[in-house]
Amino acid sequence: MSHTHYIIRPVGQCDLDDMYDLASLAGEGFTSLQPDKDYLSGFIAKSEASFAKPDKTQQQKFLLVLEDGATGKVVGCAAVKTNIGGAHQFLNFRLVGPDGAPAAPGVRGAQLLPATHLDGATEVGSLFLHPERRQDGIGRYLAKVRYLLIAATPEIFGDTVVAELRGVTNPDGSSSFFNALYGKRLGLTFEEADGRYATADEATLRSLLPAEPIYVDALPLPAQAVIGEPNATGRGAYKLLLKEGFRFIDTVDLFDAGPIVTARRDDLKILKEAKHHTVALDTSPTPNAYGLAASGSVAEFRAVLTPLSMGPRGVALTDPVASALGARTGDSVRVWTNAEAASAATPALHQKSAVGA
């Protein structure tokens, strides 16, 4: 594990160029990270307004960036959105069995019914890490920062937390599920439709749906096979979500049938594992762990990913790290370390970080 330390903080307009560079690497299908400076500037502005005045009654977007502590370069991002739905309904498909109860993929006689039952939930997403940083599980830590943000002021966030994962696509970028339901009728490719309707309202989305009931058994086998399955690029992210306490039950995306997973906010694993520790300043602490330290409410949220010196009296931090957290001696910070790691130098998770979840 590199001993590079990272700072995780709210995005600002000063990050526009770095965010554009990241968006240019994200590729097709990452609709929340588009390589368009006007779009990105608007996203940043919404995030700045949300951090400036968190409000549990409003739909808000909190975008965090991962900054290399040595260079100041933004190399990743992750977001939390509250009160999803509303003016732009969170419309998706719910699998329902012949008895009307929620059904898993593969249940004979199951139908796909349009549903907005997750409106009002909190969504985690926009997870992207620069390809050159996808080692040593950095993406895992970046994903977990979103939950530390929720823990900072939990009452702002919904009781239910959701995450969407990209569905299975073919080598040419097409979707067997989309082709079966919409291809000929809409006269659009999957990528064209996904981009065009990314922010459509409920009425528009419902107008795209087939008029007849959608029986899973009647779909072509390639379309049936991908219902509830994540894209290959998102399998790592899917595993991390399941480890965190999310579960896939019966809800899939409207266009590609990718899984939509849910968790109870208070059941998120990191909220149970992260502990408060008292800060002690040290000019040369001896690291014995590697992990995240976070401070502040949502409005003042800061976090670092760094080697940590954990002791019986708290956590020893250098001045630069404490300054990045806005913390002083005696302050309390929330700390999470990778318990699976044998030491700070050899964390257990060496898989490449997934993007897009």
Side-chain angles (χ1 to χ4, degrees):
M1 164 66 75
S2 166
H3 279 208
T4 299
H5 79 271
Y6 295 92
I7 299 167
I8 302 102
R9 56 172 176 78
V11 72
Q13 289 294 340
C14 61
D15 301 311
L16 180 59
D17 288 342
D18 283 352
M19 289 299 299
Y20 179 81
D21 291 343
L22 285 179
S24 299
L25 295 170
E28 294 287 342
F30 208 122
T31 54
S32 66
L33 199 61
Q34 301 174 25
D36 179 305
K37 286 196 173 181
D38 288 339
Y39 166 83
L40 291 170
S41 181
F43 194 169
I44 292 171
K46 290 177 182 176
S47 178
E48 288 178 317
S50 298
F51 276 107
K53 191 176 181 180
D55 186 343
K56 65 181 180 181
T57 69
Q58 301 298 313
Q59 187 177 76
Q60 296 189 304
K61 297 181 179 180
F62 301 93
L63 179 61
L64 297 167
V65 292
L66 180 75
E67 175 188 315
D68 185 313
T71 66
K73 182 77 172 177
V74 169
V75 295
C77 63
V80 181
K81 303 176 185 178
T82 63
N83 291 309
I84 57 175
H88 295 284
Q89 297 284 339
F90 191 60
L91 186 67
N92 41 64
F93 280 131
R94 200 170 193 184
L95 283 156
V96 177
D99 59 355
V107 170
R108 185 174 296 277
Q111 292 186 61
L112 290 167
L113 300 180
T116 57
H117 61 293
L118 295 176
D119 279 1
T122 289
E123 181 183 6
V124 293
S126 301
L127 177 65
F128 187 78
L129 186 61
H130 193 291
E132 294 178 358
R133 306 295 175 122
R134 294 177 195 171
Q135 69 277 330
D136 297 323
I138 299 300
R140 177 183 186 179
Y141 294 100
L142 180 57
K144 283 183 173 290
V145 167
R146 300 175 298 186
Y147 314 130
L148 290 180
L149 177 68
I150 291 172
T153 315
E155 62 270 19
I156 290 174
F157 303 93
D159 293 335
T160 299
V161 183
V162 307
E164 290 188 87
L165 291 110
R166 191 76 169 164
V168 175
T169 52
N170 302 313
D172 62 358
S174 64
S175 161
S176 297
F177 182 81
F178 176 86
N179 290 342
L181 259 67
Y182 310 99
K184 292 182 180 179
R185 289 190 303 107
L186 298 185
L188 297 171
T189 66
F190 166 65
E191 290 180 350
E192 289 170 341
D194 196 45
R196 179 177 299 185
Y197 298 111
T199 59
D201 59 27
E202 181 186 2
T204 299
L205 291 175
R206 286 186 180 273
S207 72
L208 306 177
L209 301 178
E212 63 278 4
I214 304 169
Y215 287 95
V216 174
D217 296 344
L219 295 175
L221 290 179
Q224 293 185 42
V226 300
I227 294 174
E229 293 294 323
N231 194 288
T233 60
R235 287 174 187 162
Y238 189 40
K239 290 179 181 178
L240 293 182
L241 287 163
L242 295 181
K243 284 185 177 181
E244 197 63 50
F246 287 83
R247 293 291 178 266
F248 169 64
I249 300 175
D250 60 5
T251 307
V252 299
D253 182 76
L254 210 62
F255 278 179
D256 64 15
I260 297 173
V261 295
T262 64
R264 283 181 49 83
R265 181 195 65 205
D266 296 339
D267 290 342
L268 292 171
K269 185 178 180 183
I270 191 172
L271 269 63
K272 299 178 179 179
E273 294 180 344
K275 306 297 182 184
H276 285 283
H277 292 271
T278 301
V279 171
L281 296 183
D282 192 327
T283 55
S284 56
T286 302
N288 55 16
Y290 190 86
L292 293 161
S295 66
S297 64
V298 165
E300 299 86 24
F301 184 80
R302 292 290 188 278
V304 291
L305 172 58
T306 186
L308 296 167
S309 179
M310 306 298 299
R313 292 185 294 177
V315 56
L317 304 176
T318 62
D319 280 331
V321 172
S323 178
L325 281 173
R328 297 177 296 182
T329 294
D331 286 350
S332 178
V333 295
R334 192 185 299 266
V335 176
W336 182 84
T337 59
N338 184 3
E340 299 172 2
S343 71
T346 55
L349 189 66
H350 287 283
Q351 66 185 37
K352 286 189 176 181
S353 303
V355 299

